[in-house]
Amino acid sequence: MSRFFHGDSSSESSSDEEELYSDEEVEEKAASEEESSEEEEEEEEDSDESSSDEDGVKKSGANRFMRDAGSESESDSDEDRAKVVKSAKDKRLEELEGTIKAIENGEKINDWGVISAEFDKLNRQVVKLVQSGNTPKLYVKAIAELEDFMNETISKQKVTAKKMNATNARGLNAVKQRIKKNNKDYQKDIDAYRSDKDGFMESEDEEEIPVPKTKKPKAIAGGLDFGIDGDDEGFSTVGKGGRTLQFTSESILKHLRTIMESRGKKNTDRGEQIRIMEKLYEVATTPYQQIRVLLTLISTRFDLSTGAQTFMSQEQWKLAEQEFGRLLEVLEANSDIVVIENAEEWEDDDKQPAVTPGQKLKIPGNIVSYVERLDDELTRSLQHIDPHTAEYIDRLSDEGALYNNIVRTLLYNEVVRKDESLQVLQESSNRIVMRRLEHIYFKPSAVVKILEENCWKAIPAKLDSAITPRGHVPDAAALVSILCNYLFLNSEGIIRARAMLCQIYFLALHDNYYKARDMMLMSHLQETINSFDVHSQILFNRTLVQVGLCAFRAGLVYEAQNTLQEICGSGRQKELLAQGVMIQRYNQVSPEQERLERQRQLPFHMHINLELLECVYLTCSMLLEIPLLAQTGSSPDIKKRIISKTYRRMLEYHERQIFTGPPENTRDHVMQASKALAAGEWQKATEFIHSIKIWELMAKPESIRTMLSEQIQEEGLRTYLFTYAPFYDTLSVATLSSMFQLSDRKVAAIVSKMISHEELAAALDQVNSSIIFRKGVELSRLQSLALTLSDKASGLIESNERTLETRTQGTANAFERQGGRGGRGGRAGHRGGRGGGRGGGQNMPRQEGGTRFTGGALGAAVRA
């Protein structure tokens, strides 16, 4: 009995394990099993006799032969005897026949949903059968009949008023799309079947191609394996089933179609696809094939960075850049082929389209998008590389090659746009000009000049640009102006605004302050910038800061401080300039928002030095705030105003320190210089400011220091006059000139300006070169307090009036006072009430200043 079950289990296991064997071993396995099955049948007969003897002990009579009355073990043994051992190929053929039967049943009831699903299943099943031999004739018959039935259904549908339901229509469309493409591979067999159906089916079975037995290697993700071949190197790329992939110029379009269809799918080996396309490019013979392969190859390289890796590796980026350069060379050499967006895709993979004389062959694609993606990938890699390493410098050197490709793309786009029949949009030219502008607007003129010279050397001499002709652009300023004017004329919206900001930035960087300021004010961008995208807002902030720094270099302290106030006064310079992410303690920033924030960060070589920015802002605030503090301290009647809250907080914090050691950083230097300037020690303040090493980062540090010395001398003089004016009757101009080492003419000019602005109660005696201070002008302490009280009372009444107007909207006469004792609600009062500010009666004139008191000592003080 054990022998019987042993034989059965071995047959079952062998049939299950056949799926694991290679297709080459199927025949040998089937033959060996036929022999083993014959032997096992003889053994089974012996075992049956022995088992019948054993069963005879327990059972007798007809019970032994009655199937219904038999035990489960006997029924199982009968079923086991009926089992037949089949090879894997036979099983697949049976599955194929079942699927074909299901398709035929679907055709009978016109159920295209079932037909579509079964047709996909049929194509999956036939793959293994085709690998192990020729195409099954059942399959050829099924797809030929299905195509005929589909054509018949479509022709009926055209003349029938009744429409298909949605499910059937979707299934029919799906089959229609797939069957045409699928039947191309079996067209020869289909034609043979249609010519002689009976003869085709009755012909001898297909001969199987013997394949030498080799151990099948593990499949690589992406569906491509490596096998041994008689090649010189010993290896060649093979497909599923061990068939060698033949790369010929005729099969290029088919391979490209397969690769394009696998894009975006899971378990796709993009590296293997890239290697295949590199081989396809080598065997490409026509420009059309080369362009198609390069377009697909560059796109696949870009796909490498769409997964966990956030940016392309330098190696892959350089390869993509070189292939893009080759693509431009092929397009420049073959003017009858163009790559444009609105072209129709070529569907026939068996032959390539022919170029009609006088017309241009259109290939779908977007050259501008490729160069934009190259630019974005370079920026992304620079964001992730440590800027203080040699790797960053090495990566930054690739910008020259990218700039060359940007200019060449612009030249190609100009050529394509000349042909109006191609209908190329102006937007593509605007985008590529904007990219070129964004690579030069923040660079010094010398760097831009070198970049342009190297670019035109790399471009063939036969190519030239209509926008920026070769050799006709004298310097960087002219180049930026030409590109910006082109965008002003041909673009609108965000691109025009960004072009304006780039030109303002470039002008401010090269010390053209007044022109940059006028353009900034005329653009009115400060009014609409909040409606722009985040990248444009960042560019606006950078431009604003650069204008402020330009004003500082020009010695315009007030303009510099006023321009930098909005950015530096917020305390979020890093975030506003996209030079870092501010980590706040209690912020509610999601990981997605933080990721987007990091993606917006600028590469390090585009940064504005934040320490220099803070130093300039604090220095300008010091030169404005210290004289103002002295003025308000000596004249209490002047309303206190604050120019920079940030600077005031730092100064108050510094003054609260019990012990202040020598300055260690930029902030300490400015604070101690402020303290010295307030005490009249302008020379000490100058030393503190000059000792700040950050000035070396500016273009002309010596001229900056000289300008700061002059500013400190002038503001020191103003501070001295504000502080000590109450203690002088007259003061010689020569004395002030010697104290602050200024010329008499300069001192007289500063004093005259202070007198004209009513900052100083004095007169300038030009005959005696002295300043005569007027006495009795200063208010006493009591008068100052009274004025302060009147200001506060006026403010209180105004706020009270505003609150009343807000609450009584729609009831204008609800609180009008009547004559007499100030009662409410009377129609015509003869006397005004005490308050009477809004009119006590119809005949009473409105009092002047409705927000004033009308009586009492406090009212008199206010009127005074």
Side-chain angles (χ1 to χ4, degrees), residues 600-618:
R600 296 191 199 106
Q601 301 305 301
L602 294 171
F604 184 76
H605 68 282
M606 296 177 67
H607 284 193
I608 297 171
N609 193 305
L610 294 179
E611 189 178 355
L612 174 64
L613 181 62
E614 183 186 33
C615 181
V616 169
Y617 175 70
L618 292 178

Side-chain angles (χ1 to χ4, degrees), residues 487-541:
L487 292 175
F488 295 157
L489 292 172
N490 298 291
S491 66
E492 57 185 14
I494 290 179
I495 291 184
R496 179 184 289 181
R498 289 181 68 84
M500 176 76 76
L501 291 172
C502 287
Q503 188 168 12
I504 296 169
Y505 190 103
F506 185 84
L507 291 170
L509 186 65
H510 293 83
D511 295 329
N512 292 325
Y513 169 71
Y514 291 104
K515 192 172 181 180
R517 180 200 63 183
D518 293 344
M519 285 187 69
M520 192 75 168
L521 294 175
M522 287 189 297
S523 67
H524 296 285
L525 285 173
Q526 58 272 18
E527 299 169 6
T528 58
I529 193 62
N530 290 328
S531 62
F532 284 69
D533 63 310
V534 178
H535 292 281
S536 299
Q537 293 181 17
I538 291 168
L539 180 58
F540 177 82
N541 294 339

Side-chain angles (χ1 to χ4, degrees), residues 85-104:
V85 178
K86 295 180 181 178
S87 65
K89 184 176 179 181
D90 293 337
K91 286 184 177 180
R92 288 170 186 154
L93 283 172
E94 282 187 4
E95 292 174 356
L96 194 73
E97 289 174 0
T99 307
I100 292 172
K101 188 68 176 174
I103 292 176
E104 291 174 354

Side-chain angles (χ1 to χ4, degrees), residues 38-144:
E38 290 175 1
E39 295 174 359
E40 285 173 333
E41 284 175 4
E42 296 175 359
E43 292 174 359
E44 284 170 10
E45 290 175 1
D46 300 336
S47 63
D48 290 342
E49 291 175 1
S50 61
S51 62
S52 64
D53 295 337
E54 293 172 3
D55 293 339
V57 176
K58 298 178 182 178
K59 299 178 183 179
S60 62
N63 288 339
R64 184 179 168 193
F65 301 102
M66 291 178 66
R67 190 169 182 82
D68 295 337
S71 64
E72 291 181 3
S73 61
E74 186 172 349
S75 63
D76 291 342
S77 63
D78 290 340
E79 290 174 6
D80 290 337
R81 289 191 196 108
K83 285 191 176 179
V84 179
V85 178
K86 295 180 181 178
S87 65
K89 184 176 179 181
D90 293 337
K91 286 184 177 180
R92 288 170 186 154
L93 283 172
E94 282 187 4
E95 292 174 356
L96 194 73
E97 289 174 0
T99 307
I100 292 172
K101 188 68 176 174
I103 292 176
E104 291 174 354
N105 291 337
E107 290 175 356
K108 290 176 183 176
I109 61 174
N110 202 30
D111 189 347
W112 284 98
V114 173
I115 294 173
S116 175
E118 294 296 329
F119 180 64
D120 291 343
K121 183 179 176 183
L122 182 71
N123 289 330
R124 288 195 299 270
Q125 290 171 347
V126 83
V127 171
K128 293 183 179 180
L129 289 168
V130 171
Q131 288 170 2
S132 60
N134 293 338
T135 308
K137 296 186 177 180
L138 282 173
Y139 176 75
V140 175
K141 177 186 175 184
I143 59 175

Side-chain angles (χ1 to χ4, degrees), residues 266-297:
K266 291 183 179 180
N267 302 324
T268 301
D269 189 352
R270 297 190 181 94
E272 183 61 32
Q273 289 182 345
I274 288 172
R275 287 191 287 273
I276 289 175
M277 282 187 284
E278 288 172 348
K279 293 179 181 178
L280 291 176
Y281 182 74
E282 292 174 2
V283 300
T285 55
T286 63
Y288 176 80
Q289 292 175 345
Q290 292 175 345
I291 293 169
R292 285 286 303 272
V293 172
L294 287 172
L295 287 172
T296 312
L297 179 55

